[in-house]
Amino acid sequence: MNIQEFQQLTQQGIVILDGATGSNFRRAGMPVGVSGELWALEHPEVVIELQRAYVDAGSQIVYAPTFSANRIGLGMHGLEGRLQEINAGLVALSKRAADGRALVAGDITTTGKILEPQGDMTYQQLLDVYREQIQALAEAGADLIVAETMLTLEETMAALEAAQAVCSLPVMCTLTLEADGHLLYGGTAVEAVEALQEMGAAAVGLNCSVGPDQLESVVSAMKAAARVPVIAKPNAGMPTMDGQGFAHYSMSPEDFARAMKKLTWRGARIVGGCCGTDPEYIRALAQAVRS
């Protein structure tokens, strides 16, 4: 997919993303503390069943479960030498699940490292980490790239620059925000939109964060500054933890869908769900925004 084809897709109407991945893998039996990417590769039936259900529910873009499959994330489990294999294998699983009915985004996220001078990671090192993973995703056949759950504008800009250096795929960027529109480590959602669209991001927005019912003013502010589509992929409300370590979120699929429809009225053009959502949430969302 190229940027023109991505623009044509977004001009046809609201684009539906998928929902959560990690929390659904946990429900399917993934233990705490393992590499989620390797676990997914070793349990292909879980990936295919989940993503096929998202496509059946209305997702037009599904995220390959390559979230932390970069050199640093995999290195925490001694898997950095399998980076190419893991990224390629997970993209292949997602494409098999989508079966031509949805696009597959190669998914990348924050490294968790802090840039100099506050930390010990240089900008060049960060670029190299992202370039390596994005190259693997592009070569595996991802239709586009998404940098999600990003914590700082600087790291998001590095991910975008890295993608542009190794491929011509469209890049969507979403950051985690406070309900008042501030980034977790300085800056605002509006500043992020302005900077990332200037660099050539295909779409910019938010994911994770809080529930959609708390984000109407944030989405409105982002839309007012945006020349590219605004993305909203929030959680299913606020979580509470049970005795087994599972998070339970406050919004039902119907509540989530109603709140998400209000975000489309505020200007979100690409929508989906993050933590706490599953195919039933996406089905309700797709029905709500298309009704």
Side-chain angles (χ1 to χ4, degrees):
M1 170 177 254
N2 58 38
I3 189 65
Q4 289 77 24
E5 291 168 332
F6 181 84
Q7 290 170 343
Q8 289 171 2
L9 174 65
T10 59
Q11 289 166 1
Q12 291 169 5
I14 303 296
V15 175
I16 308 296
L17 303 173
D18 60 8
T21 297
S23 57
N24 289 300
F25 284 176
R26 283 275 287 124
R27 291 193 190 102
M30 183 179 75
V32 175
V34 303
S35 164
E37 291 74 28
L38 180 61
W39 187 90
L41 191 63
E42 293 175 341
H43 296 80
E45 71 286 352
V46 175
V47 177
I48 291 170
E49 181 181 354
L50 176 64
Q51 296 195 324
R52 193 167 284 163
Y54 278 134
V55 176
D56 290 342
S59 296
Q60 297 162 272
I61 299 173
V62 295
Y63 290 12
T66 53
F67 189 66
S68 293
N70 58 65
R71 186 191 315 162
I72 294 171
L74 293 177
M76 294 174 63
H77 304 277
L79 298 169
E80 60 270 34
R82 299 178 65 181
L83 184 148
Q84 189 82 24
E85 170 202 353
I86 290 172
N87 281 280
L90 293 174
V91 170
L93 284 178
S94 293
K95 291 181 78 71
R96 180 177 162 193
D99 194 26
R101 297 187 296 146
L103 298 168
V104 172
D107 188 15
I108 66 174
T109 191
T110 178
T111 62
K113 297 293 184 180
I114 301 174
L115 285 171
E116 294 180 337
Q118 289 81 16
D120 57 4
M121 172 74 79
T122 69
Y123 190 81
Q124 185 59 52
Q125 288 171 329
L126 191 58
L127 281 177
D128 291 344
V129 168
Y130 282 128
R131 275 201 296 249
E132 184 178 37
Q133 185 185 10
I134 294 167
Q135 181 79 53
L137 294 169
E139 290 177 354
D143 297 301
L144 67 159
I145 302 296
V146 57
E148 67 158 334
T149 324
M150 302 301 288
L151 301 180
T152 70
L153 177 55
E154 291 77 10
E155 190 171 16
T156 314
M157 293 170 72
L160 178 55
E161 182 178 344
Q164 293 169 336
V166 298
C167 70
S168 58
L169 297 176
V171 182
M172 303 193 303
C173 299
T174 58
L175 298 97
T176 294
L177 309 169
E178 303 284 4
D180 64 1
H182 282 82
L183 307 183
L184 299 183
Y185 293 95
T188 68
V190 169
E191 291 168 351
V193 170
E194 292 171 342
L196 293 167
Q197 70 184 5
E198 195 65 31
M199 283 186 66
V204 182
L206 60 93
N207 80 288
C208 206
S209 307
V210 293
D213 52 333
Q214 300 181 59
L215 293 168
E216 289 186 45
S217 61
V218 177
V219 169
S220 291
M222 295 178 89
K223 173 59 177 175
R227 303 190 306 272
V228 298
V230 172
I231 306 165
K233 201 175 193 281
N235 296 339
M238 302 304 291
T240 56
M241 303 299 293
D242 66 19
Q244 286 72 48
F246 286 92
H248 298 271
Y249 287 79
S250 58
M251 301 184 83
S252 69
E254 295 73 26
D255 292 338
F256 179 80
R258 280 192 292 269
M260 288 299 296
K261 186 167 186 176
K262 292 180 181 179
L263 294 190
T264 67
W265 295 342
R266 296 283 190 158
R269 299 291 296 171
I270 304 175
V271 295
C274 202
C275 302
T277 63
D278 61 24
E280 287 309 307
Y281 284 78
I282 299 306
R283 188 181 310 280
L285 167 62
Q287 292 172 348
V289 301
R290 290 172 177 164
S291 63

